[in-house]
Amino acid sequence: MRMITFGSRTARRSAILLCAGLLLAGCGLFGGRGSVAAGVKYQAAGQYRAAYIEAKKVLQRDSTNGDAWLLLGQASLMLGNPKDALTDLQNAEANRVPEARWVVPMGRALLVTRQFEKLLKTLPADKAFAPEIRTEVLVLRGDAYLGLRQVDRARQSYTAALALNAKDPRALVGLAKLAEGAGNEAAAGRYVQQALAAAPESPQAWVAKGDLATRAGGYAEAESAYQKALDFKYPDWLPQERFFAQGRLADVQIRQNEFGKALANIETLEKMASDMPFPHYLHAVVLYKQGHLDDAISQLQQVLKVSPDNPPAQLLMGAVNYAQGNYGQAEMYLSNVLGVDAKDVSARKLLALAFYRAGNSQQALNTLRPAVAGNPSDAELLAVLQQAVAEGAGMPTASPGAGEPVAVAGSAANPLDAQFARAGQAIVSGNEPEAIQLLKDIPASNASTAMQQNEMLVMAYLRGNHPAEAVKTAADYVAKHPKDSAAHLFYGNALVAAGQRNKGRMEYIEAYKLDSKNLAALLSLGGLDSIDGHYQDAVGRYETVLGKDPRNAAAMTALGQLAARQGDKAQAIKWFK
């Protein structure tokens, strides 16, 4: 299959194709020379490749056969090649095929390639088509207006279509989408039920039902609806629509932690369109939820290679880097998300936590404030950050569970989050013995929990003025995880806090050697160089950070401080700005 172009939602009925078949009966010859009539029969049976071949055979001997061009365009469309279909249908028009026969497939091809304005010009609303064709045209126009976000005009088109056919399922689904977009979920549900009553085998209606269930959190109901849509043998819908229905099915299975089923559907998606980013994103979500973070990054890199500004992939990449302790990288990806949508609360809260864990409490506080709107868990996190700023604390004292957003909707909360949060509060209040006991009582059930437990124990020991215990705890963890870059980074932090800067430097070097994306290790090395008076070495470290992460505020601030320390006020101001 050639490239699939996405964006369409509507689908047309096979009755159009059957009518075309009756009109074309007798055109062309059967056998090795190809036959339009045979191709139309293949088309009606859902054998689109065979129909395509028949049309090609006819055109090889007669390139002016408009009926063959029409069949080729229809087959190309159903095979997932809308751009080719547009060319074929234009050739059908040029070879005197009546407009009533090519207007609907042409509209579908324009819709799926997101040429909404051109669709509206090509399919005028006032043409005197037969009622069935006119209904199709009005629905397509409604879909185009919906794509352009012209809600009132979309509603007018769908309503006009229903005036011709009160049971048209696609017009009803269109109105359902408009109702849901306006926040009227009850009306949306009624429209979907009307569509299903009028056309029980309409895949679009079943997908719409699944979408409503998904947004309401009814993932099992949504799974059933999507599966129903996919089970129809010859639904007259485009491969793009089937692709996204399969993707939606995988998504709700992921939300229910049905990873085996989801991966099977993702594999199907990859076979349908291996060059599309969507399957890689879904695969990354599964890997993230299973704790396979490096593999998740590999999948997300495939997404960002094709779609570098993809907000969901950027958000998930931020979450994965946060989980790995790569806070500088997490900040970069999450800042990109907020640059596209400043109202994305999940990205804002996770970015605040990334700043917090990187030691930038004030920046974390400033980032989080706009996200807090009466949610108790968010308010609790805000209070923790405010106290951290007041005390000058940099390291986090609340676990990700204390108000951290779940980057992937539907993932289950960690039952240990509350205990981590209590330990964090104990550290904030200066009750380090209680924090240490709480943390020791937490079973290291998985790698993520063990890492968090180690970090907070080291922090509690340092805050409680027990540097030797902090170093021992971090050293024991590194001994068990010698290839873990983040573990070496935290061990280095413990050594530096205990006054063992040279040993700490070696751990930072090892952390960076294990993972060149660990910018926190590079920043820490720059900090030691600065303390030791090796300013040029420090500048080199920070410039390397900025080469990998041009938006890294910590590196810019450090360069400004170095410039100020050396009396270069102009350069310092430049970096601080």
Side-chain angles (χ1 to χ4, degrees), residues 138-139 141-146 149-163 171 174-184 187 191:
L138 287 168
V139 172
R141 287 178 61 84
D143 293 336
Y145 282 126
L146 189 60
R149 299 184 181 180
Q150 297 181 23
V151 174
D152 291 338
R153 290 187 173 184
R155 182 177 292 105
Q156 291 169 7
S157 291
Y158 293 137
T159 303
L162 290 172
L175 289 174
K177 288 185 176 294
L178 291 175
E180 197 217 348
N184 192 341
Y191 282 126

Side-chain angles (χ1 to χ4, degrees), residues 8-14 17 74 77-78 82 86 89 102-114 119 123 136 140 204 235-239 241:
S8 174
R9 180 193 56 78
T10 57
R12 306 283 73 87
R13 293 178 182 169
S14 57
L17 298 175
Q74 292 169 324
L77 187 61
M78 297 307 295
L86 283 172
L89 293 167
W102 56 255
V103 68
V104 170
M106 180 79 81
R108 298 181 75 188
L110 290 168
L111 187 68
V112 83
T113 53
R114 303 186 67 79
L119 185 154
L123 280 67
E136 299 275 359
L140 283 166
Q204 292 86 2
D236 181 28
W237 59 339
L238 302 181
E241 295 176 295

Side-chain angles (χ1 to χ4, degrees), residues 42-81:
Y42 283 131
Q43 182 93 325
Q47 299 179 44
Y48 306 119
R49 178 60 62 187
Y52 180 92
I53 292 171
E54 289 294 317
K56 276 288 190 181
K57 288 179 181 178
V58 173
L59 290 168
Q60 283 174 357
R61 69 173 189 273
D62 180 8
S63 63
T64 64
N65 190 314
D67 295 327
W69 281 116
L70 176 63
L71 176 63
L72 189 68
Q74 292 169 324
S76 294
L77 187 61
M78 297 307 295
L79 288 169
N81 305 317

